[in-house]
């Protein structure tokens, strides 16, 4: 009863005439009916007589019900049941004959909603009368042991998983036969730290949690198959009790998660590629496409961080604003290609003449900015004069009729607003423009 009540598969039993004898809780949940309201009713007429397309399916032609006539187990990889509310669920189902005294007394049907297969564990249980039918129809590997870990039963799915026959493993101790000792030792160490008691690297590693809590303990393990290959599984270990309620063993239900592991690996690879792509795009969005230095957005991001650091550690911070004089004349007389070449040259000269810790950006058009961390007015003035000198020499070499109006503002404590800092530097630069251009103006703010 405990097995039937806790399995994730819907299980129902029919008598020889196809009438419902038993419906387990999972079947009630999947079909929407309670056992008491449909016991004794013809189950085919109730849930399987009509297809989702509205076509009739007579009981005489139903392959699931054929088990009542021919006693042959039938498995369907894809079928459907109609629920109480009229909706349909797609199921994978098995019908198995139930024999009493050599005669077919009915059948046991096991089904699960395959649209949710990846969202839950398949758990199959059995009573003494239905155990063989459930074991034969289960897709999960099921192994039961006594209280000391000696294997008592193993189903066909577990035999396929492990490549061992029941005769080869029943009566032998697990996990020594088909589990990775390294994983067992690591799990024992984890449990020792978690529970505060020493857990030996053996059968206790699988049972101690469910013994303490009374609920199934689920973990990922690796089965070592008979041919030495490794199979990743999700293993759920559950208590087994006798009629008096005493613990007399354990049941392990294993699901092959090979495909899930592959999917997870593929997802991780995809996420890594996406992260790399997003990072490239993010960096591209911060770089000026023409000059290769930071654009306005990138400059403002770094300036924000440096300003915050300057305020926190009470370090001076200087900002240089560079505007090209007569740049429009270059575009008008020499063409935009020459203008672009000039801007690239200006960016390269400025970048070469400042420190690696300084930040150079193109704010737009022919306007550039340089952020000088931990630089006061006196130090900033030296930097600006050197930059202006190199810029003018570069213009003379190329015979470009361009000069530079440069403003330097130094902050003992910079404002929180980067826009305000840039406006102040722009204001200082503009004072040069008003006085005739091609010069440097310096201003300090407390």
């Amino acid at each position: 009863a405990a097995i039937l009540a806790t399995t994730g598969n819907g299980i129902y039993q029919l008598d020889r005439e196809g009438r419902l004898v038993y419906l387990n809780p999972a079947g009630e949940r999947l079909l929407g009916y309670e056992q008491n309201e449909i016991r004794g009713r013809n189950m085919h007429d109730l849930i399987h007589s009509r297809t989702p397309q509205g076509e009739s399916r007579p009981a005489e032609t139903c392959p699931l019900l054929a088990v009542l006539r021919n006693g042959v187990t039938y498995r369907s990889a894809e079928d459907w049941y109609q629920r109480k509310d009229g909706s349909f669920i797609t199921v994978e189902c098995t019908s198995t004959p139930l024999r009493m005294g050599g005669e077919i007394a009915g059948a046991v049907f096991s089904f699960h909603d395959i649209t949710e297969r990846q969202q839950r564990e398949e758990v199959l249980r059995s009573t003494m009368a239905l155990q063989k039918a459930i074991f034969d129809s289960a897709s999960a590997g099921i192994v039961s042991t006594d209280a000391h870990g000696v294997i008592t039963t193993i189903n066909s799915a577990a035999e396929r998983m492990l490549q061992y026959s029941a005769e080869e493993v029943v009566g032998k101790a697990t996990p020594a036969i088909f589990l990775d000792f390294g994983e067992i030792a690591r799990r024992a160490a984890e449990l020792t730290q978690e529970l505060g008691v020493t857990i030996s690297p053996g059968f206790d590693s699988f049972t101690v949690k469910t013994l303490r809590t009374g609920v199934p303990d689920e973990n990922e393990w690796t089965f070592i198959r008979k041919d030495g290959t490794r199979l990743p599984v999700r293993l759920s270990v559950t208590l087994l009790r006798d009629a008096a309620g005493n613990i007399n063993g354990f049941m392990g239900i294993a699901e092959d998660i090979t495909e899930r592991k592959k999917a997870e690996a593929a997802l991780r690879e995809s996420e890594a590629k996406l992260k790399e792509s997003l990072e490239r795009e993010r960096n591209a969005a911060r770089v000026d496409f023409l000059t290769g230095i930071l654009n306005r957005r990138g400059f403002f991001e770094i300036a924000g961080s440096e300003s915050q650091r300057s305020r926190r550690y009470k370090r001076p911070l200087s900002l240089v604003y560079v505007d090209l004089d007569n740049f429009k004349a270059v575009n008008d007389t020499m063409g935009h290609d020459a203008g672009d070449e000039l801007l690239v040259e200006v960016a390269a000269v400025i970048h070469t003449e400042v420190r690696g810790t300084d930040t150079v950006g193109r704010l737009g058009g022919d306007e550039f900015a340089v952020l000088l961390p931990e630089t006061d007015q006196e130090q900033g003035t030296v930097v600006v004069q050197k930059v202006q000198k190199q810029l003018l020499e570069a213009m003379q070499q190329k015979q470009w009729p361009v000069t530079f109006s440069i403003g330097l503002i130094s902050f003992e404590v910079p404002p929180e607003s980067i826009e305000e800092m840039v406006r102040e530097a722009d204001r200082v630069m503009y004072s040069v423009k008003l006085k005739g251009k091609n010069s440097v103006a310096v201003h300090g703010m407390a």
Side-chain angles (χ1 to χ4, degrees), residues 116-249:
E116 300 178 357
R117 178 182 294 167
Q118 294 182 346
Q119 301 174 7
R120 72 175 190 271
E121 297 268 335
E122 293 182 16
V123 181
L124 298 176
R125 296 292 189 267
S126 174
T127 64
M128 293 296 292
L130 304 178
Q131 185 178 37
K132 185 177 184 305
I134 296 174
F135 270 31
D136 286 344
S137 65
S139 59
I142 303 177
V143 178
S144 63
T145 73
D146 65 14
H148 304 290
V150 176
I151 297 174
T152 55
T153 61
I154 176 172
N155 75 336
S156 57
E159 289 180 312
R160 292 192 298 270
M161 279 185 177
L162 299 170
Q163 300 176 342
Y164 287 103
S165 67
E167 290 74 16
E168 291 177 287
V169 296
V170 171
K172 297 182 179 179
T174 180
I177 303 174
F178 47 77
L179 285 152
D180 187 309
F181 182 77
E183 287 186 355
I184 299 172
R186 286 192 293 273
R187 178 62 176 162
E190 292 172 0
L191 289 169
T192 297
Q193 184 175 4
E194 177 183 347
L195 303 176
V197 295
T198 301
I199 305 300
S200 60
F203 192 59
D204 289 348
S205 301
F206 296 85
T207 61
V208 65
K209 288 288 289 287
T210 192
L211 281 169
R212 288 192 170 209
T213 64
V215 299
D217 185 24
E218 295 186 1
N219 289 283
E220 292 185 6
W221 295 92
T222 302
F223 280 172
I224 309 299
R225 309 170 85 181
K226 188 176 181 178
D227 65 359
T229 57
R230 300 168 70 87
L231 180 72
V233 297
R234 179 79 176 175
L235 182 64
S236 174
V237 178
T238 306
L239 296 174
L240 295 177
R241 299 179 184 272
D242 60 21
N246 300 312
I247 297 171
N248 64 355

Side-chain angles (χ1 to χ4, degrees), residues 390-408:
Q390 295 302 320
L391 285 172
L392 291 174
E393 288 182 0
M395 297 303 103
Q396 290 173 0
Q397 290 176 3
K398 298 285 187 175
Q399 295 184 348
W400 283 324
V402 170
T403 57
F404 301 90
S405 295
I406 303 176
L408 167 69

